[in-house]
Amino acid sequence: MKKWGQQLARTEIFFYALAWLIYLVVVGTLDQAKIGLYQSQLKYFSSFYFLQFGWLPLPGGYPTMGIIFIALLAKLLFKTRWVFSQLGIIITHFGGLLLLFGGFLTAAFSYEGSMVIPEGQETNVIADYHMMELAFVDTTSSDSEDIVTAFSQGWLEKGQVLKHENLPFQVEVLQFCENCKMERWEIPKGEGYHGFSKIFDLKPAALLKQAESNRGGLIFRVTGASDEVNGIYSVIEFMPITQTIKYQNRVFQVMIRNEETHLPFTIHLDDFEKKVYPGTNMAKSYKSLVHLKDKDLNQKTIVQMNQPLRYKGYTFYQASFIEGNDEETTVLAVVKNVGYMFPYISSLIMSFGLLIHLILQTPQLIKK
Amino acid sequence: MVKASVFKFISLSFVLVFISCSYKDKEIRVYKTAKKKNIETQQQAVASPDAPVVWSLPKGWVENKSSQMRVGSFSAPAPKGYSPADVSVVVLGGDAGGVLANVNRWLEQIELPPTTELELMKNTHELADQRQWYELVNPKNGAAIYVSMFQLSGDTVFVKMVGQEKVLKSQKSSFEQLVSSIQSRKK
């Protein structure tokens, strides 16, 4: 193992991996203009490999960052002499490793979504910006509550069969597309097709630069219910009429939507204030006056540009708003990033390490 | 020896955790929520917050990215074999040059000669709120434009649907619904 470690500790490995990372940053930035920020991030950074020119497989961000981390660790353990004179170097390497570890935490566990609250209402729901889910909402279980059974995007692959004890039928995924286009059947489908799928077919479309403009859709087959219920259904995001499945005196609403997270606290929008530049409709500033409610807590606060609300690891930024005829609706961007402190801490450690190194090396430099 | 063990442990943990985290989650979540009505406004969230007007998107229409000129841009579905119709909402200050001048400009786009106000009346459809729309069709090549222009809070709003005549005919009621739904953001 030591021999392997010493090989990995070679400076060339770190150097070439870093050069490759710079290449990824350059091509990722250039391609971003064409395919959009999110797609570029997925293709070049959150990937094991990507296809350059559409056919040449090259290493993506994951292996590159992994090699940099392991090479740096090997260098610290096997090549750096663990003596007092090298203390600055050791601390600096440790800071670098911590920075990469923080990046890993952000890549693996960070969360981004949006919260939409109309004036005078409250919510605890965040909709993920990118990940989708297929939700079956049982609306017949009680008068006050619905029971939601939601399958995450990982399940939405052709051929997957979705089963759950809450569902008196099973669902086979026939087609899923992250961005679908609707095509009206020339002749509406008859027996075996239900609701929306009778009128429209869903076809995959190219992903849009603005990831939030994509409309995910799903075609699925229901089996295990009665003959009237079994058959083909389809759902697409923002359907004006929700698809329902009625079986055994139960009514299920079926929705494809951005994955929802339900927070253990709620935010109530008391008022939304918008100021415009005089003589125009351009927003100068806007802010949300909200109440944060969590068990005994009922705290009044303001969310506005450069003044986010931070609570229980979540940060709420004022992102946008929707102006209706009678009431306004605020749109808050919600971010949860467990690694957000790592860049600050590791930068401090690296600066401290370099300072120590400078202090320890100064007498030798003076001697020379 | 200790260093080798530490290196082995950290490296392997890192690689394993990294690979496991990169796989798509297969999760089934079950939870209860208070009954809620669908928040219709979420559908409008894609509209630019700076757009001076708001509207209700007709069923089946897809909202496209707006541009500097277009405050709203949509694709209206087409029968099989036809391209979707392109729909735009544009807001300009003042009277924007008047009806006839604009109509003649659009007629030129579908290769038709200029018209007169009297002729135009034949192809005018009336909606509520004193809104009108004009049906411009070139029977020779099937190109068509449905367009409405009306005053709203001192501005002129243009709603224009361009495509093949057959496509536009199939979307006529949706177009009328869109035109009727447009409201000013100004209070």
Side-chain angles (χ1 to χ4, degrees):
Chain A
M1 195 68 206
K2 192 174 177 182
K3 198 177 162 188
W4 271 91
Q6 280 169 340
Q7 286 296 317
L8 284 166
R10 288 168 57 192
T11 320
E12 299 94 305
I13 293 179
F14 180 82
F15 173 79
Y16 286 120
L18 203 61
W20 183 250
L21 193 63
I22 293 169
Y23 175 77
L24 289 179
V25 171
V26 172
V27 291
T29 308
L30 292 175
D31 218 12
Q32 178 195 314
K34 204 166 73 183
I35 62 176
L37 180 66
Y38 181 63
Q39 286 306 318
S40 177
Q41 186 194 317
L42 281 186
K43 182 178 174 183
Y44 295 102
F45 304 109
S46 304
S47 63
F48 285 96
Y49 71 95
F50 67 95
L51 296 176
Q52 184 82 76
F53 316 118
W55 58 270
L56 181 63
L58 293 172
Y62 284 163
T64 311
M65 296 295 281
I67 287 168
I68 289 175
F69 180 83
I70 288 169
L72 207 60
L73 181 68
K75 167 81 168 57
L76 180 67
L77 289 172
F78 300 115
K79 215 168 183 181
T80 304
R81 285 180 298 122
W82 285 60
V83 292
F84 182 69
S85 62
Q86 296 292 302
L87 184 64
I89 296 284
I90 292 168
I91 292 174
T92 308
H93 275 80
F94 181 70
L97 285 170
L98 205 63
L99 182 67
L100 288 167
F101 182 67
F104 160 71
L105 287 181
T106 301
F109 303 112
S110 68
Y111 175 85
E112 286 182 339
S114 66
M115 182 179 255
V116 180
I117 325 172
E119 254 175 358
Q121 294 185 33
E122 64 183 40
T123 186
N124 67 336
V125 180
I126 311 172
D128 194 288
Y129 276 141
H130 308 297
M131 298 308 288
M132 307 192 76
E133 67 181 10
L134 179 67
F136 294 86
V137 184
D138 184 351
T139 57
T140 40
S141 55
S142 87
D143 290 337
S144 58
E145 284 181 324
D146 292 335
I147 296 177
V148 181
T149 308
F151 293 83
S152 64
Q153 192 172 327
W155 288 97
L156 306 182
E157 285 174 0
K158 191 175 179 179
Q160 278 283 357
V161 177
L162 315 180
K163 296 178 196 170
H164 193 272
E165 59 189 19
N166 285 357
L167 306 178
F169 46 79
Q170 60 185 42
V171 169
E172 184 193 349
V173 177
L174 299 180
Q175 179 165 289
F176 168 66
C177 37
E178 287 183 63
N179 188 30
C180 291
K181 58 180 177 188
M182 296 180 295
E183 283 185 9
R184 192 182 283 265
W185 295 112
E186 206 162 344
I187 302 162
K189 292 285 181 182
E191 208 173 322
Y193 284 77
H194 299 266
F196 182 74
S197 70
K198 275 186 173 178
I199 314 292
F200 288 100
D201 187 17
L202 297 181
K203 292 269 174 69
L207 292 172
L208 301 171
K209 268 169 69 176
Q210 298 275 21
E212 60 273 21
S213 300
N214 290 324
R215 287 183 90 181
L218 185 83
I219 305 174
F220 59 92
R221 180 186 285 120
V222 168
T223 53
S226 61
D227 288 347
E228 298 86 61
V229 175
N230 287 342
I232 293 172
Y233 295 76
S234 61
V235 282
I236 189 167
E237 268 191 289
F238 311 125
M239 274 170 75
I241 300 168
T242 308
Q243 178 67 58
T244 54
I245 298 177
K246 292 175 189 167
Y247 183 53
Q248 291 179 342
N249 297 323
R250 292 163 76 184
V251 179
F252 293 89
Q253 292 180 342
V254 190
M255 289 176 241
I256 183 125
R257 62 189 185 191
N258 289 72
E259 192 176 282
E260 290 192 352
T261 299
H262 292 248
L263 300 175
F265 54 90
T266 58
I267 294 181
H268 182 275
L269 179 65
D270 301 335
D271 192 21
F272 181 82
E273 288 180 13
K274 176 193 165 197
K275 286 181 183 166
V276 294
Y277 287 102
T280 72
N281 286 317
M282 279 177 66
K284 185 181 175 187
S285 66
Y286 38 97
K287 62 181 175 186
S288 302
L289 286 83
V290 300
H291 261 91
L292 174 64
K293 297 179 180 177
D294 186 8
K295 292 174 188 150
D296 298 333
L297 180 76
N298 193 352
Q299 188 185 323
K300 192 176 179 181
T301 185
I302 293 173
V303 183
Q304 59 184 335
M305 284 183 236
N306 302 322
Q307 192 184 320
L309 164 67
R310 294 181 201 276
Y311 188 67
K312 286 194 170 174
Y314 290 91
T315 310
F316 299 82
Y317 299 92
Q318 181 67 61
S320 182
F321 63 93
I322 303 156
E323 199 157 358
N325 294 328
D326 303 319
E327 62 174 25
E328 282 148 333
T329 300
T330 192
V331 182
L332 304 176
V334 188
V335 176
K336 186 174 190 181
N337 182 3
V338 288
Y340 83 101
M341 283 302 288
F342 278 77
Y344 303 109
I345 296 167
S346 54
S347 299
L348 277 175
I349 291 173
M350 283 191 284
S351 307
F352 182 66
L354 289 170
L355 185 69
I356 296 278
H357 187 64
L358 183 71
I359 292 166
L360 291 176
Q361 297 302 312
T362 304
Q364 285 183 19
L365 287 170
I366 292 167
K367 268 188 204 168
K368 282 182 186 173
Chain B
M1 190 64 192
V2 176
K3 283 182 185 176
S5 302
V6 169
F7 177 70
K8 200 169 157 183
F9 174 73
I10 296 178
S11 303
L12 279 175
S13 311
F14 184 78
V15 170
L16 285 175
V17 173
F18 211 80
I19 289 171
S20 62
C21 286
S22 63
Y23 279 105
K24 275 184 183 174
D25 282 343
K26 266 192 177 177
E27 196 186 355
I28 303 174
R29 292 183 304 152
V30 178
Y31 51 87
K32 288 181 178 177
T33 58
K35 283 192 183 295
K36 62 177 179 183
K37 48 184 181 182
N38 271 340
I39 299 176
E40 200 178 304
T41 45
Q42 283 206 4
Q43 192 182 339
Q44 295 183 355
V46 288
S48 161
D50 293 324
V53 291
V54 290
W55 54 81
S56 296
L57 196 63
K59 185 183 167 187
W61 285 26
V62 179
E63 191 146 9
N64 301 321
K65 196 185 168 190
S66 55
S67 65
Q68 200 173 5
M69 279 296 284
R70 293 180 171 207
V71 296
S73 185
F74 321 101
S75 294
K80 205 164 185 179
Y82 289 86
S83 299
D86 177 53
V87 187
S88 61
V89 179
V90 172
V91 181
L92 296 175
D95 72 353
V99 175
L100 197 62
N102 279 298
V103 167
N104 282 332
R105 186 165 53 84
W106 296 318
L107 285 172
E108 197 181 337
Q109 285 175 11
I110 53 171
E111 299 171 8
L112 283 175
T115 186
T116 61
E117 277 185 349
L118 202 63
E119 279 295 309
L120 184 60
M121 290 290 282
K122 293 177 189 169
N123 298 314
T124 303
H125 301 257
E126 294 288 336
L127 294 170
D129 290 334
Q130 294 183 327
R131 291 180 188 177
Q132 299 168 330
W133 67 273
Y134 311 107
E135 188 174 1
L136 314 176
V137 180
N138 184 343
K140 283 181 187 167
N141 58 15
I145 296 177
Y146 289 1
V147 64
S148 175
M149 56 184 289
F150 54 89
Q151 298 289 312
L152 193 66
S153 303
D155 295 327
T156 303
V157 180
F158 295 85
V159 188
K160 190 176 161 198
M161 179 159 72
V162 183
Q164 287 293 298
E165 185 186 5
K166 189 174 177 186
V167 180
L168 269 53
K169 263 189 179 166
S170 71
Q171 295 299 317
K172 186 176 156 186
S173 60
S174 296
F175 177 78
E176 290 184 336
Q177 180 197 325
L178 174 72
V179 173
S180 300
S181 74
I182 291 177
Q183 300 291 330
S184 173
R185 280 192 198 274
K186 294 174 186 174
K187 294 265 170 103

